[in-house]
Amino acid sequence: MSRKTKRTTPSRMANQRAHYSDENIYEILDEALFCTISYAEDNQPFSIPQSFVRIDNYIYLHASVGSHFVRKLTDGRPVCITVMLADELVVAKTAFHHSVNYRSVVIFAKGEEINDIEKKYEAFKVLTEKMVPGSWDYLKPMSQSEVNKTTAIRFSLDEASAKIRRGAPSHEEDEMDLPIWTGLIPIKPLRHQPLPDEHGAKIPLPDHLKY
C-alpha cells in the first residue's frame, strides 16, 4: 500500500519537502519522544500529547485501563497523529522569510488495542528503553498486575508522510546587499545531568544515566 494519499500530501511544497519512505518516517519517529493525537468527539476536537515508541510499521502508546482517553482511541474512530522535531531557527533578512528547519510526520490511522500479554510487555519495554536508554534491566521488573492495569494501543504507519525543511534562509534579489545578519540558530534539545530526588541522592548515579 502506498503511503501517499490525498490526506498525506502537503498542500505546499509537496514535491520538495514531502517524503514517504520507511527511512525518513522511521528516523523521525525513532528520535522523537512525544506525539500529539487528535480526534473528534460530539463535533468537538481534542488533542492529547503522549509519549510513544515505534516497533516495525506501528507506533505504540500506553495509558491506564481506566482512562477516558483510551476508550476513545480504541473504539475504531479515525485519529490524526503528529510529530515534529525542530532543528534550527532560520534567520533571514526579513521577518517574512524567517522560518524553521524541521522534520515532521503526520499519521492517519485507527487505534488497535493490544491484548496479548507478551506483546504488551515488549511494547512497554521498548518504550521504557527509548525514554531512558539502559534502564529496563536496572529497574524493578514490571509486575503482571502493572501490565494488566495498563493499556497498549498501536497505530499503523500505512498512511503517513514526513515533511522536512533543511537549508539556509530565502532572500529576495533586492535584499542581498542589506547589512543584516542571516543564518541558522540550532535549537535541538539535549539531555542534561540527572537531578536526584531525596531517595536518589542516597544512591550513586548508575552508568546508564550518565550523559
Side-chain angles (χ1 to χ4, degrees):
M1 173 182 175
S2 172
R3 288 196 176 103
K4 186 174 182 179
T5 67
K6 183 177 180 180
R7 296 193 296 185
T8 60
T9 302
S11 59
R12 293 189 67 253
M13 305 189 77
N15 291 335
Q16 298 95 327
R17 297 183 182 173
H19 303 269
Y20 301 93
S21 69
D22 288 353
E23 179 182 5
N24 283 293
I25 292 172
Y26 291 175
E27 181 181 79
I28 295 168
L29 296 178
D30 291 348
E31 181 175 340
L33 297 179
F34 308 105
C35 66
T36 299
I37 311 155
S38 300
Y39 63 93
E41 172 75 9
D42 296 330
N43 209 34
Q44 171 68 44
F46 292 88
S47 287
I48 310 295
Q50 182 80 11
S51 59
F52 76 97
V53 69
R54 181 190 67 83
I55 302 176
D56 299 326
N57 198 49
Y58 294 88
I59 64 169
Y60 288 75
L61 315 178
H62 78 288
S64 167
V65 294
S67 169
H68 172 78
F69 166 64
V70 164
R71 291 194 293 272
K72 301 304 177 184
L73 293 185
T74 56
D75 66 1
R77 74 183 63 204
V79 303
C80 180
I81 303 172
T82 58
V83 171
M84 178 180 173
L85 297 171
D87 296 319
E88 295 154 329
L89 300 178
V90 181
V91 181
K93 291 182 182 292
T94 66
F96 179 79
H97 284 304
H98 275 26
S99 188
V100 177
N101 282 339
Y102 65 89
R103 293 164 290 148
S104 64
V105 172
V106 175
I107 304 160
F108 295 94
K110 294 180 180 180
E112 176 188 355
E113 184 174 356
I114 304 302
N115 294 310
D116 183 276
I117 295 299
E118 290 186 5
K119 289 183 178 179
K120 284 178 65 175
Y121 190 86
E122 179 65 18
F124 299 151
K125 176 181 178 180
V126 179
L127 176 60
T128 301
E129 283 293 303
K130 178 183 182 182
M131 301 300 289
V132 186
S135 66
W136 184 260
D137 291 333
Y138 173 81
L139 299 171
K140 174 187 174 183
M142 193 172 187
S143 68
Q144 185 64 57
S145 175
E146 291 170 333
V147 174
N148 293 339
K149 291 177 181 178
T150 309
T151 299
I153 312 167
R154 75 177 186 178
F155 298 86
S156 170
L157 298 175
D158 284 347
E159 190 176 4
S161 65
K163 192 176 182 184
I164 300 171
R165 187 205 192 277
R166 297 188 178 100
S170 299
H171 304 295
E172 302 296 339
E173 190 65 32
D174 62 357
E175 299 168 356
M176 300 304 294
D177 294 330
L178 294 176
I180 298 173
W181 186 93
T182 59
L184 306 176
I185 302 175
I187 55 173
K188 285 190 176 183
L190 298 174
R191 293 184 184 239
H192 297 276
Q193 182 73 9
L195 303 174
D197 64 7
E198 60 179 306
H199 302 287
K202 303 173 184 177
I203 301 171
L205 189 69
D207 288 342
H208 71 274
L209 294 179
K210 294 177 180 178
Y211 302 127

PDB file of all heavy atoms in Angstrom, residues 59-76:
ATOM      1  N   ILE A  59       3.239   2.566  15.586  1.00  0.00           N
ATOM      2  CA  ILE A  59       3.644   3.247  16.800  1.00  0.00           C
ATOM      3  C   ILE A  59       2.726   2.783  17.934  1.00  0.00           C
ATOM      4  O   ILE A  59       1.544   2.485  17.720  1.00  0.00           O
ATOM      5  CB  ILE A  59       3.614   4.784  16.666  1.00  0.00           C
ATOM      6  CG1 ILE A  59       2.206   5.309  16.416  1.00  0.00           C
ATOM      7  CG2 ILE A  59       4.557   5.247  15.568  1.00  0.00           C
ATOM      8  CD1 ILE A  59       2.125   6.822  16.555  1.00  0.00           C
ATOM      9  N   TYR A  60       3.296   2.714  19.127  1.00  0.00           N
ATOM     10  CA  TYR A  60       2.592   2.210  20.303  1.00  0.00           C
ATOM     11  C   TYR A  60       2.497   3.293  21.360  1.00  0.00           C
ATOM     12  O   TYR A  60       3.467   4.006  21.627  1.00  0.00           O
ATOM     13  CB  TYR A  60       3.335   1.009  20.890  1.00  0.00           C
ATOM     14  CG  TYR A  60       3.239  -0.256  20.063  1.00  0.00           C
ATOM     15  CD1 TYR A  60       3.965  -0.396  18.879  1.00  0.00           C
ATOM     16  CD2 TYR A  60       2.426  -1.318  20.461  1.00  0.00           C
ATOM     17  CE1 TYR A  60       3.876  -1.550  18.109  1.00  0.00           C
ATOM     18  CE2 TYR A  60       2.336  -2.480  19.700  1.00  0.00           C
ATOM     19  CZ  TYR A  60       3.065  -2.596  18.527  1.00  0.00           C
ATOM     20  OH  TYR A  60       2.977  -3.739  17.778  1.00  0.00           O
ATOM     21  N   LEU A  61       1.309   3.381  21.985  1.00  0.00           N
ATOM     22  CA  LEU A  61       1.071   4.282  23.103  1.00  0.00           C
ATOM     23  C   LEU A  61       0.611   3.451  24.291  1.00  0.00           C
ATOM     24  O   LEU A  61       0.195   2.300  24.145  1.00  0.00           O
ATOM     25  CB  LEU A  61      -0.021   5.300  22.767  1.00  0.00           C
ATOM     26  CG  LEU A  61       0.034   5.993  21.408  1.00  0.00           C
ATOM     27  CD1 LEU A  61      -1.168   6.911  21.262  1.00  0.00           C
ATOM     28  CD2 LEU A  61       1.313   6.775  21.259  1.00  0.00           C
ATOM     29  N   HIS A  62       0.656   4.044  25.480  1.00  0.00           N
ATOM     30  CA  HIS A  62       0.137   3.353  26.651  1.00  0.00           C
ATOM     31  C   HIS A  62      -0.640   4.336  27.509  1.00  0.00           C
ATOM     32  O   HIS A  62      -0.427   5.554  27.450  1.00  0.00           O
ATOM     33  CB  HIS A  62       1.278   2.737  27.463  1.00  0.00           C
ATOM     34  CG  HIS A  62       2.003   3.736  28.304  1.00  0.00           C
ATOM     35  ND1 HIS A  62       2.846   4.693  27.769  1.00  0.00           N
ATOM     36  CD2 HIS A  62       1.985   3.956  29.640  1.00  0.00           C
ATOM     37  CE1 HIS A  62       3.329   5.446  28.739  1.00  0.00           C
ATOM     38  NE2 HIS A  62       2.827   5.030  29.882  1.00  0.00           N
ATOM     39  N   ALA A  63      -1.554   3.813  28.314  1.00  0.00           N
ATOM     40  CA  ALA A  63      -2.325   4.633  29.249  1.00  0.00           C
ATOM     41  C   ALA A  63      -3.000   3.701  30.243  1.00  0.00           C
ATOM     42  O   ALA A  63      -3.054   2.475  30.044  1.00  0.00           O
ATOM     43  CB  ALA A  63      -3.363   5.479  28.523  1.00  0.00           C
ATOM     44  N   SER A  64      -3.539   4.263  31.305  1.00  0.00           N
ATOM     45  CA  SER A  64      -4.278   3.483  32.297  1.00  0.00           C
ATOM     46  C   SER A  64      -5.514   2.864  31.664  1.00  0.00           C
ATOM     47  O   SER A  64      -6.160   3.476  30.799  1.00  0.00           O
ATOM     48  CB  SER A  64      -4.690   4.383  33.465  1.00  0.00           C
ATOM     49  OG  SER A  64      -5.646   3.739  34.278  1.00  0.00           O
ATOM     50  N   VAL A  65      -5.864   1.655  32.095  1.00  0.00           N
ATOM     51  CA  VAL A  65      -7.057   0.992  31.551  1.00  0.00           C
ATOM     52  C   VAL A  65      -8.322   1.777  31.884  1.00  0.00           C
ATOM     53  O   VAL A  65      -9.341   1.628  31.210  1.00  0.00           O
ATOM     54  CB  VAL A  65      -7.183  -0.448  32.086  1.00  0.00           C
ATOM     55  CG1 VAL A  65      -6.053  -1.315  31.584  1.00  0.00           C
ATOM     56  CG2 VAL A  65      -7.246  -0.467  33.612  1.00  0.00           C
ATOM     57  N   GLY A  66      -8.275   2.629  32.914  1.00  0.00           N
ATOM     58  CA  GLY A  66      -9.448   3.413  33.290  1.00  0.00           C
ATOM     59  C   GLY A  66      -9.520   4.761  32.594  1.00  0.00           C
ATOM     60  O   GLY A  66     -10.434   5.541  32.865  1.00  0.00           O
ATOM     61  N   SER A  67      -8.616   5.014  31.698  1.00  0.00           N
ATOM     62  CA  SER A  67      -8.546   6.320  31.050  1.00  0.00           C
ATOM     63  C   SER A  67      -9.683   6.523  30.053  1.00  0.00           C
ATOM     64  O   SER A  67      -9.927   5.686  29.176  1.00  0.00           O
ATOM     65  CB  SER A  67      -7.197   6.474  30.329  1.00  0.00           C
ATOM     66  OG  SER A  67      -7.195   7.604  29.491  1.00  0.00           O
ATOM     67  N   HIS A  68     -10.374   7.647  30.172  1.00  0.00           N
ATOM     68  CA  HIS A  68     -11.397   8.033  29.195  1.00  0.00           C
ATOM     69  C   HIS A  68     -10.774   8.179  27.812  1.00  0.00           C
ATOM     70  O   HIS A  68     -11.355   7.795  26.801  1.00  0.00           O
ATOM     71  CB  HIS A  68     -12.030   9.360  29.633  1.00  0.00           C
ATOM     72  CG  HIS A  68     -12.950   9.964  28.628  1.00  0.00           C
ATOM     73  ND1 HIS A  68     -14.246   9.515  28.436  1.00  0.00           N
ATOM     74  CD2 HIS A  68     -12.777  10.987  27.740  1.00  0.00           C
ATOM     75  CE1 HIS A  68     -14.823  10.238  27.474  1.00  0.00           C
ATOM     76  NE2 HIS A  68     -13.961  11.132  27.037  1.00  0.00           N
ATOM     77  N   PHE A  69      -9.568   8.688  27.797  1.00  0.00           N
ATOM     78  CA  PHE A  69      -8.805   8.877  26.564  1.00  0.00           C
ATOM     79  C   PHE A  69      -8.606   7.549  25.836  1.00  0.00           C
ATOM     80  O   PHE A  69      -8.771   7.452  24.614  1.00  0.00           O
ATOM     81  CB  PHE A  69      -7.479   9.520  26.944  1.00  0.00           C
ATOM     82  CG  PHE A  69      -6.409   9.501  25.901  1.00  0.00           C
ATOM     83  CD1 PHE A  69      -6.567  10.173  24.708  1.00  0.00           C
ATOM     84  CD2 PHE A  69      -5.209   8.845  26.131  1.00  0.00           C
ATOM     85  CE1 PHE A  69      -5.555  10.182  23.749  1.00  0.00           C
ATOM     86  CE2 PHE A  69      -4.205   8.848  25.197  1.00  0.00           C
ATOM     87  CZ  PHE A  69      -4.379   9.511  23.997  1.00  0.00           C
ATOM     88  N   VAL A  70      -8.258   6.497  26.562  1.00  0.00           N
ATOM     89  CA  VAL A  70      -8.029   5.184  25.966  1.00  0.00           C
ATOM     90  C   VAL A  70      -9.292   4.659  25.303  1.00  0.00           C
ATOM     91  O   VAL A  70      -9.261   4.112  24.195  1.00  0.00           O
ATOM     92  CB  VAL A  70      -7.523   4.189  27.025  1.00  0.00           C
ATOM     93  CG1 VAL A  70      -7.651   2.763  26.519  1.00  0.00           C
ATOM     94  CG2 VAL A  70      -6.092   4.482  27.378  1.00  0.00           C
ATOM     95  N   ARG A  71     -10.413   4.804  25.959  1.00  0.00           N
ATOM     96  CA  ARG A  71     -11.663   4.299  25.386  1.00  0.00           C
ATOM     97  C   ARG A  71     -11.968   4.959  24.053  1.00  0.00           C
ATOM     98  O   ARG A  71     -12.515   4.331  23.140  1.00  0.00           O
ATOM     99  CB  ARG A  71     -12.808   4.511  26.376  1.00  0.00           C
ATOM    100  CG  ARG A  71     -12.714   3.631  27.618  1.00  0.00           C
ATOM    101  CD  ARG A  71     -14.018   3.610  28.393  1.00  0.00           C
ATOM    102  NE  ARG A  71     -14.320   4.910  28.993  1.00  0.00           N
ATOM    103  CZ  ARG A  71     -13.890   5.292  30.192  1.00  0.00           C
ATOM    104  NH1 ARG A  71     -13.115   4.481  30.896  1.00  0.00           N
ATOM    105  NH2 ARG A  71     -14.225   6.469  30.681  1.00  0.00           N
ATOM    106  N   LYS A  72     -11.617   6.223  23.915  1.00  0.00           N
ATOM    107  CA  LYS A  72     -11.859   6.924  22.657  1.00  0.00           C
ATOM    108  C   LYS A  72     -10.932   6.420  21.551  1.00  0.00           C
ATOM    109  O   LYS A  72     -11.309   6.392  20.385  1.00  0.00           O
ATOM    110  CB  LYS A  72     -11.669   8.431  22.845  1.00  0.00           C
ATOM    111  CG  LYS A  72     -12.590   9.042  23.881  1.00  0.00           C
ATOM    112  CD  LYS A  72     -14.051   8.766  23.575  1.00  0.00           C
ATOM    113  CE  LYS A  72     -14.959   9.319  24.646  1.00  0.00           C
ATOM    114  NZ  LYS A  72     -16.382   8.962  24.412  1.00  0.00           N
ATOM    115  N   LEU A  73      -9.727   6.045  21.909  1.00  0.00           N
ATOM    116  CA  LEU A  73      -8.751   5.642  20.899  1.00  0.00           C
ATOM    117  C   LEU A  73      -8.906   4.199  20.448  1.00  0.00           C
ATOM    118  O   LEU A  73      -8.288   3.792  19.465  1.00  0.00           O
ATOM    119  CB  LEU A  73      -7.337   5.851  21.438  1.00  0.00           C
ATOM    120  CG  LEU A  73      -6.903   7.293  21.686  1.00  0.00           C
ATOM    121  CD1 LEU A  73      -5.446   7.337  22.106  1.00  0.00           C
ATOM    122  CD2 LEU A  73      -7.119   8.156  20.448  1.00  0.00           C
ATOM    123  N   THR A  74      -9.698   3.423  21.164  1.00  0.00           N
ATOM    124  CA  THR A  74      -9.834   2.004  20.805  1.00  0.00           C
ATOM    125  C   THR A  74     -11.237   1.660  20.318  1.00  0.00           C
ATOM    126  O   THR A  74     -11.578   0.486  20.221  1.00  0.00           O
ATOM    127  CB  THR A  74      -9.485   1.117  22.009  1.00  0.00           C
ATOM    128  OG1 THR A  74     -10.297   1.471  23.130  1.00  0.00           O
ATOM    129  CG2 THR A  74      -8.026   1.272  22.386  1.00  0.00           C
ATOM    130  N   ASP A  75     -12.051   2.677  19.990  1.00  0.00           N
ATOM    131  CA  ASP A  75     -13.417   2.386  19.553  1.00  0.00           C
ATOM    132  C   ASP A  75     -13.566   2.423  18.033  1.00  0.00           C
ATOM    133  O   ASP A  75     -14.672   2.399  17.510  1.00  0.00           O
ATOM    134  CB  ASP A  75     -14.418   3.335  20.213  1.00  0.00           C
ATOM    135  CG  ASP A  75     -14.253   4.798  19.764  1.00  0.00           C
ATOM    136  OD1 ASP A  75     -13.375   5.069  18.920  1.00  0.00           O
ATOM    137  OD2 ASP A  75     -14.998   5.662  20.272  1.00  0.00           O
ATOM    138  N   GLY A  76     -12.435   2.480  17.316  1.00  0.00           N
ATOM    139  CA  GLY A  76     -12.471   2.418  15.868  1.00  0.00           C
ATOM    140  C   GLY A  76     -12.538   3.747  15.154  1.00  0.00           C
ATOM    141  O   GLY A  76     -12.548   3.783  13.913  1.00  0.00           O
TER     142      GLY A  76
END
